[in-house]
Amino acid sequence: MAGFIRLRTLLYLFYAVALTAALLYLRFPAEKFRVFCENKIESFLAGSDCHIERISYRLPFSVVFTNLQIVREAEGKRSALRVDRLAVTPAFPVFFKSFRVSGEMYRGKFSMQVAVDSRGENFTLSEVSLAGMNMEEWAGDFNLLDRKVSGKASVTGSYQATFGAPLQGTGKGELNAEDGSFELLQPILSLNNLPFDRIRVDLAQEKEMLKFVKGEMSGKEMGAEFTGEMRLATPLPNSIVILSGQLSPRESFLAAHPGEKRLVEQLLRRYKTPALPFKVGGTVRRPTFRFSL
């Protein structure tokens, strides 16, 4: 008898879930919900304009955003962030408090778990994963760096912040970039463009301070190790960056550039180090590089 009651309860629960899903699918207010979401995002990210091309409902309980774009005008330039597809699925049994978010942006795929605390007015992003993002396309939309960047980026980590200051939270993570290059504002050992095979950086954020706990770069012409920090500002290119590390020119590069080889040998004798010590300071838009202990 008890088993029959449990079975009947499960059937009623299944019926209720199926009926709710069907009603949502048939009567989902896509247009009104689209405008509501655009307004919410614009209020959450002050000074931004949001446009969502389409919102659809996917069984059983997922909402899918197609071509979401957030645009901001900064110093006379248009900066944008595009998300090709974003799917939001509430987690059982805590509806509207925990969500699974996934999608695609700049040819890469991302996913994360989002927990919302309405009483504490904060949110937490956990299990954050972004893989294969095209940095050249992102930099083209970002449009504030004034130099070329290419490669594929991946990010993992976690983050927590308040509703009132969503970009000034705490978090940690790891950034990886592969098979790319970045344009230099000032030549480094005659190079105007620095190609890399891989860049790996351990990150930690505490409010407006982003720390580069440990960074490594490897490439056919140069290798480097560095640490430092960046004081975040709006817009991002106005952020202040301070880095220090060691640069190691490859033997193949020195053999092909005899003038730079003589300079490297002089600097190594001056600093009495196995690699070239360097420092970077200034803003993200206009950083200054120098060889120095």
Side-chain angles (χ1 to χ4, degrees):
M1 185 66 178
F4 174 74
I5 293 174
R6 284 196 295 268
L7 177 60
R8 186 173 62 179
T9 302
L10 287 174
L11 288 174
Y12 283 153
L13 179 61
F14 175 77
Y15 173 76
V17 170
L19 180 61
T20 302
L23 289 173
L24 283 171
Y25 180 75
L26 293 172
R27 303 181 63 84
F28 183 67
E31 183 60 24
K32 291 182 179 179
F33 189 60
R34 181 183 67 81
V35 175
F36 170 80
C37 290
E38 288 177 345
N39 291 337
K40 276 294 183 182
I41 292 173
E42 288 174 354
S43 65
F44 194 63
L45 300 174
S48 298
D49 293 323
C50 177
H51 175 71
I52 303 170
E53 181 180 307
R54 182 166 59 91
I55 296 180
S56 56
Y57 176 73
R58 187 178 66 190
L59 292 172
F61 292 109
S62 295
V63 177
V64 179
F65 300 75
T66 303
N67 293 336
L68 183 154
Q69 184 170 255
I70 300 172
V71 179
R72 176 178 296 215
E73 294 288 336
E75 300 180 350
K77 292 187 177 181
R78 177 184 179 274
S79 179
L81 176 69
R82 287 185 295 112
V83 179
D84 299 315
R85 187 186 69 87
L86 186 149
V88 180
T89 305
F92 289 97
V94 285
F95 262 42
F96 306 114
K97 291 186 178 181
S98 182
F99 305 84
R100 189 68 186 174
V101 178
S102 62
E104 293 96 37
M105 59 187 294
Y106 300 108
R107 305 191 192 186
K109 295 184 177 182
F110 66 88
S111 65
M112 68 186 75
Q113 194 76 26
V114 181
V116 178
D117 181 358
S118 299
R119 288 187 178 182
E121 297 188 344
N122 62 66
F123 64 92
T124 300
L125 311 181
S126 59
E127 303 175 29
V128 176
S129 174
L130 168 64
M133 187 182 82
N134 186 297
M135 294 172 62
E136 185 172 8
E137 291 187 9
W138 167 79
D141 274 358
F142 187 58
N143 194 33
L144 293 176
L145 290 177
D146 298 326
R147 53 191 178 273
K148 295 180 180 179
V149 180
S150 66
K152 291 184 177 181
S154 300
V155 178
T156 58
S158 60
Y159 183 77
Q160 182 176 11
T162 63
F163 297 159
L167 302 181
Q168 295 184 11
T170 60
K172 60 181 180 179
E174 180 180 310
L175 167 67
N176 284 276
E178 297 180 341
D179 302 325
S181 65
F182 50 91
E183 187 178 4
L184 301 171
L185 293 181
Q186 58 186 113
I188 299 177
L189 297 178
S190 78
L191 292 177
N192 294 307
N193 192 65
L194 191 58
F196 59 85
D197 296 327
R198 186 184 180 202
I199 296 176
R200 177 185 178 277
V201 188
D202 291 330
L203 304 170
Q205 182 175 339
E206 184 67 38
K207 295 186 177 179
E208 73 279 0
M209 188 64 71
L210 178 63
K211 294 185 178 181
F212 306 102
V213 180
K214 181 181 179 182
E216 299 174 344
M217 185 199 78
S218 60
K220 294 180 176 61
E221 296 178 315
M222 302 282 170
E225 295 181 353
F226 58 91
T227 60
E229 60 188 30
M230 180 167 64
R231 184 171 293 277
L232 300 171
T234 302
L236 183 63
N238 291 341
S239 301
I240 303 297
V241 62
I242 299 174
L243 297 177
S244 61
Q246 293 186 324
L247 187 69
S248 302
R250 305 302 189 197
E251 288 297 331
S252 57
F253 169 80
L254 296 177
H257 298 80
E260 281 65 40
K261 181 178 181 180
R262 288 192 293 272
L263 175 60
V264 168
E265 291 172 345
Q266 293 172 5
L267 291 171
L268 291 176
R269 286 196 297 269
R270 179 196 301 177
Y271 296 121
K272 299 178 181 179
T273 55
L276 297 174
F278 71 87
K279 294 184 184 296
V280 176
T283 64
V284 172
R285 177 181 282 106
R286 289 287 181 268
T288 300
F289 176 96
R290 71 182 189 278
F291 290 114
S292 174
L293 284 173

